[in-house]
Amino acid sequence: MAQTITQKILSRAANRKFVDAGENVWLNVDILLTHDVCGPPTFDIFKQEFGPDAKVWAPEKVVVLPDHYIFTANEHAHRNIDLLRQFSAEQGLPNYYDVGTERYKGVCHVALAEEGFNIPGTVLFGTDSHTCTSGAFGMFGSGIGNTDAAFILGTGKLWEKVPESMKFTFEGEMPEYLCAKDLILQILGDIGTDGATYRAMEFDGEAVYSLPLEERMTLTNMAIEAGGMNGIIAADAITEAYVKAHSSKPYEIFRSDSDAPYHSVRRYRVREMEPVVAQPHSPDNRATVRSVQGTKITKSYIGSCTGGKLTDFMLAAKILKGKQVAVPTNIVPATVKVARALECETFEGITLRQIFENAGCSIALPSCAACLGGPADTVGRSVDYDVVVSTTNRNFPGRMGSKKAGVYLASPLTAAASAVTGKLTDPRDFL
Amino acid sequence: MDTIIQGKAYVLGKNIDTDQIIPAEHLVYSLSNPEEVKLYGKYALSGVPPEQGGLPEGNIPFVGEGSFSSEYTIIVAGPNFGCGSSREHAPFSLQVAGAKAIIAESYARIFYRNCVDGGFVIPYETAENLAEVIKTGDELKIDIEANTVTNLTTSVTYRLNPLGDVFSIVRAGGIFAYARQENLMGRN
Ligand code: SF4
């Protein structure tokens, strides 16, 4: 029977030839990811349920990446890191990336890719809703809660309902003013924040396959913003090259059968699309940048697992080079690797870091920072009636700090162009 | 498990995300230390903009000033309840505040799983949006066997969608209880 890529990967993980959409199956998990917010309660449940001396099912398959509340004086946040450190030591977890050491990485979804944990054909669960990001590598990645994660820690297994798939095809050649962020915000505006609930979102088409992995990750990252169980892009030569450069593990490439069943199929021609934003307070509240052009902003924020990758900063640098920002602009690299790359990657002979500094941006240390508000002393946290243009993924009330603030989600090009003018600005004005 | 859940309704709109259920700044408290756990009750639904809490009137907080628990047992909401992050702190905080069930038109997947697998609150779905017909403060009675909810204040009964596959996990009280019952905790 014909299957989608998601069905094929889940079949493999369930030791079956075929799994049908809607079926509940038990899956063998390849990697479990957790971080400082959800790790400690997950470990608590694990001990409660499996006993104080229980051992995790496979230490090498557990990846612990503290990233949420790192550079803060909040003592509860520090205690959470201590708890991660303690559990990882007790269990001998080789993939714990401790804060304050040279092993520290930064935002988990980007670090997973960089550290070679994203392997085509595998199944990843993580205690973070954006675990779907890893689907850009032709694998299944999905977010779960602490109880489910504790269950995996003890058994290596989890039940899941096989999702129906929705296909999104982007045809044509990407114009230079569009970013992956514009594509996913377009979809969100079309299908809404529950448009893909319990479903897989599969992306393909010439425009998608022309993108580097980091940009593809922006698409799969925001599958959860439509309620998707996972986002997925079949692996191609670009994926294989990336995986081989970051890991020596074997991988298996799956593709959807040409006659695989889909819940729905949508086609977009990228040449006909425009830069868009999601207006406050929902990721599906789409508007073209042109239609809201001129809206005054008080801050620009370029960071997070969605918009704090090297490719995001390369795009932003194109606009910020030789310009001054008109509003406070936070550059928050997702990971230490991205932060280092800012020092050596150049645009027209100048390092990205220099470009941002010359433009008057502040460059923060790598972590989730104000993407989710965080403790009161978090860099870039919104206050009062701030109006923020941000490359992050969520703009629910209070998400970046203040409940009264409004957040416009945008591409790195739009966030940079708007930073320069102090108003929402279409990047085509600068390109 | 009880077969009847009775209590006052607290009504919310659509797309109630996990940042509204428990704002991120509160995620740092322990989920096992009893003193800190109380804070999850205190801040449950504290991220809902005031005018959108306790519909149709609004401006009714779920948990009163200075309190650690809510007088409302059943949350009634529109579509896509619990969208956003995977934080299990969300259904947990509702349970700590005293909620027993949610009746929403639909749920985001991770939140739904968390409610069921953690055994925190029972997530019922309905074919119609009951948030439009039930008022905050109405006395509701859920009959778990019959899959109905009766509004005792207005004497109208509505159908709840059957829990289906997950009913056995709900009845067991969570995924661990269920897995023990079914002998699924092995590692092969
Ligand atoms: S950067 Fe934001 S969305 Fe990404 S993992 Fe961190 S808090 Fe979540």
Side-chain angles (χ1 to χ4, degrees):
Chain A
M1 290 256 290
Q3 299 185 84
T4 63
I5 176 171
T6 299
Q7 281 173 290
K8 287 183 184 178
I9 295 171
L10 297 187
S11 296
R12 173 194 157 274
N15 284 324
R16 300 251 303 260
K17 287 224 157 53
F18 175 81
V19 294
D20 210 353
E23 238 189 300
N24 280 320
V25 292
W26 285 90
L27 303 171
N28 292 312
V29 178
D30 292 296
I31 296 284
L32 175 71
L33 160 75
T34 191
H35 53 48
D36 52 313
V37 170
C38 295
T42 297
F43 301 152
D44 265 358
I45 300 171
F46 169 73
K47 289 192 172 177
Q48 246 168 50
E49 299 290 342
F50 294 94
D53 302 321
K55 289 285 174 204
V56 305
W57 102 103
E60 71 288 357
K61 295 186 176 179
V62 181
V63 182
V64 185
L65 283 157
D67 58 358
H68 276 56
Y69 303 151
I70 305 303
F71 305 106
T72 166
N74 185 295
E75 35 178 286
H76 290 295
H78 290 180
R79 183 188 56 191
N80 278 342
I81 310 276
D82 290 340
L83 291 168
L84 294 186
R85 189 174 291 140
Q86 208 180 313
F87 185 83
S88 301
E90 250 168 59
Q91 297 280 339
L93 302 183
N95 304 313
Y96 171 54
Y97 297 95
D98 205 358
V99 178
T101 73
E102 58 187 30
R103 283 179 62 77
Y104 174 71
K105 299 297 172 207
V107 180
C108 58
H109 310 298
V110 180
L112 275 182
E114 292 171 347
E115 300 309 311
F117 291 108
N118 287 349
I119 303 293
T122 59
V123 168
L124 160 79
F125 282 103
T127 61
D128 190 284
S129 61
H130 292 103
T131 305
C132 50
T133 311
S134 296
F137 287 76
M139 58 188 280
F140 177 87
S142 192
I144 51 171
N146 311 333
T147 300
D148 283 345
F151 193 88
I152 295 175
L153 270 183
T155 65
K157 283 190 266 206
L158 192 64
W159 71 271
E160 187 57 272
K161 185 186 283 222
V162 179
E164 280 189 288
S165 293
M166 299 170 83
K167 182 146 94 173
F168 302 89
T169 304
F170 289 92
E171 289 164 350
E173 203 184 312
M174 277 291 268
E176 63 159 354
Y177 49 83
L178 279 191
C179 309
K181 188 63 167 287
D182 296 299
L183 309 189
I184 190 69
L185 290 178
Q186 181 73 31
I187 291 177
L188 281 162
D190 288 346
I191 68 173
T193 52
D194 57 358
T197 300
Y198 256 105
R199 299 198 195 104
M201 295 175 75
E202 189 177 321
F203 306 96
D204 75 356
E206 182 192 349
V208 171
Y209 284 111
S210 73
L211 297 172
L213 246 318
E214 286 92 337
E215 277 279 275
R216 297 182 194 181
M217 286 163 73
T218 302
L219 293 176
T220 48
N221 175 277
M222 291 188 73
I224 185 64
E225 265 52 77
M229 179 186 293
N230 65 313
I232 196 158
I233 301 169
D236 66 354
I238 295 180
T239 324
E240 284 193 76
Y242 188 109
V243 171
K244 282 189 186 139
H246 292 81
S247 161
S248 52
K249 292 185 201 137
Y251 56 85
E252 197 174 344
I253 293 185
F254 293 97
R255 289 194 182 84
S256 294
D257 293 320
S258 56
D259 53 347
Y262 285 93
H263 164 272
S264 52
V265 179
R266 281 171 187 269
R267 284 177 196 286
Y268 296 88
R269 282 199 192 84
V270 286
R271 281 272 155 206
E272 292 164 11
M273 294 174 63
E274 289 196 52
V276 289
V277 290
Q279 308 170 90
H281 296 284
S282 185
D284 62 356
N285 192 11
R286 183 191 65 211
T288 61
V289 181
R290 284 266 151 90
S291 71
V292 289
Q293 176 118 347
T295 305
K296 279 213 163 52
I297 57 165
T298 60
K299 265 183 191 155
S300 176
Y301 187 98
I302 306 180
S304 84
C305 53
T306 324
K309 298 174 260 86
L310 181 57
T311 45
D312 298 298
F313 295 117
M314 292 184 352
L315 290 162
K318 267 203 214 171
I319 289 188
L320 291 172
K321 176 164 177 280
K323 307 260 181 2
Q324 284 297 309
V325 294
V327 291
T329 298
N330 288 104
I331 300 283
V332 190
T335 61
V336 173
K337 276 203 179 147
V338 173
R340 292 211 182 109
L342 297 185
E343 322 253 350
C344 31
E345 287 293 328
T346 56
F347 176 66
E348 293 178 350
I350 308 181
T351 68
L352 301 188
R353 183 175 191 95
Q354 207 57 60
I355 291 174
F356 297 142
E357 280 175 359
N358 292 349
C361 308
S362 347
I363 305 180
L365 294 167
S367 80
C368 293
C371 169
L372 84 165
D377 58 352
T378 305
V379 168
R381 198 181 141 94
S382 69
V383 291
D384 294 332
Y385 291 93
D386 260 342
V387 180
V388 188
V389 61
S390 174
T391 64
T392 55
N393 46 37
R394 291 193 173 135
N395 59 350
F396 302 127
R399 169 72 179 181
M400 293 190 77
S402 166
K403 262 194 260 180
K404 296 174 248 165
V407 176
Y408 288 84
L409 303 178
S411 76
L413 288 176
T414 302
S418 306
V420 171
T421 60
K423 301 175 204 134
L424 290 179
T425 300
D426 191 305
R428 282 173 288 187
D429 295 358
F430 286 92
L431 292 167
Chain B
M1 88 187 254
D2 298 340
T3 54
I4 298 289
I5 298 173
Q6 187 171 331
K8 278 200 212 170
Y10 186 78
V11 183
L12 292 161
K14 61 176 183 177
N15 297 333
I16 300 297
D17 71 274
T18 53
D19 283 284
Q20 295 183 61
I21 299 171
I22 183 78
E25 65 199 283
H26 301 303
L27 301 180
V28 292
Y29 317 132
S30 161
L31 281 84
S32 48
N33 169 325
E35 274 312 299
E36 286 184 41
V37 161
K38 284 175 24 191
L39 296 171
Y40 284 105
K42 176 176 170 131
Y43 293 114
L45 289 172
S46 65
V48 175
E51 65 286 359
Q52 290 162 35
L55 300 176
E57 258 124 80
N59 290 305
I60 304 172
F62 181 59
V63 177
E65 191 61 40
S67 176
F68 292 90
S69 62
S70 174
E71 56 181 297
Y72 305 100
T73 325
I74 301 173
I75 293 165
V76 180
N80 205 24
F81 191 89
C83 58
S85 88
S86 66
R87 63 187 73 153
E88 197 161 301
H89 312 65
F92 180 77
S93 69
L94 297 177
Q95 182 195 40
V96 174
K100 298 247 180 308
I102 308 171
I103 301 174
E105 198 179 341
S106 63
Y107 295 87
R109 163 184 162 270
I110 306 178
F111 180 85
Y112 184 84
R113 281 189 74 102
N114 287 345
C115 288
V116 170
D117 283 0
F120 300 114
V121 283
I122 308 182
Y124 279 106
E125 287 189 323
T126 49
E128 49 180 329
N129 183 355
L130 296 189
E132 286 167 3
V133 291
I134 291 173
K135 295 188 168 65
T136 296
D138 285 359
E139 185 77 9
L140 304 183
K141 183 172 150 190
I142 295 174
D143 184 329
I144 291 176
E145 298 291 331
N147 286 314
T148 57
V149 56
T150 302
N151 186 340
L152 300 174
T153 308
T154 59
S155 304
V156 185
T157 296
Y158 307 94
R159 287 210 60 74
L160 302 170
N161 294 352
L163 291 165
D165 293 340
V166 303
F167 183 59
S168 35
I169 304 178
V170 169
R171 191 173 41 200
I175 190 180
F176 283 103
Y178 172 76
R180 277 203 188 89
Q181 219 173 295
E182 303 289 313
N183 245 331
L184 293 168
M185 298 269 277
R187 294 191 180 196
N188 45 49

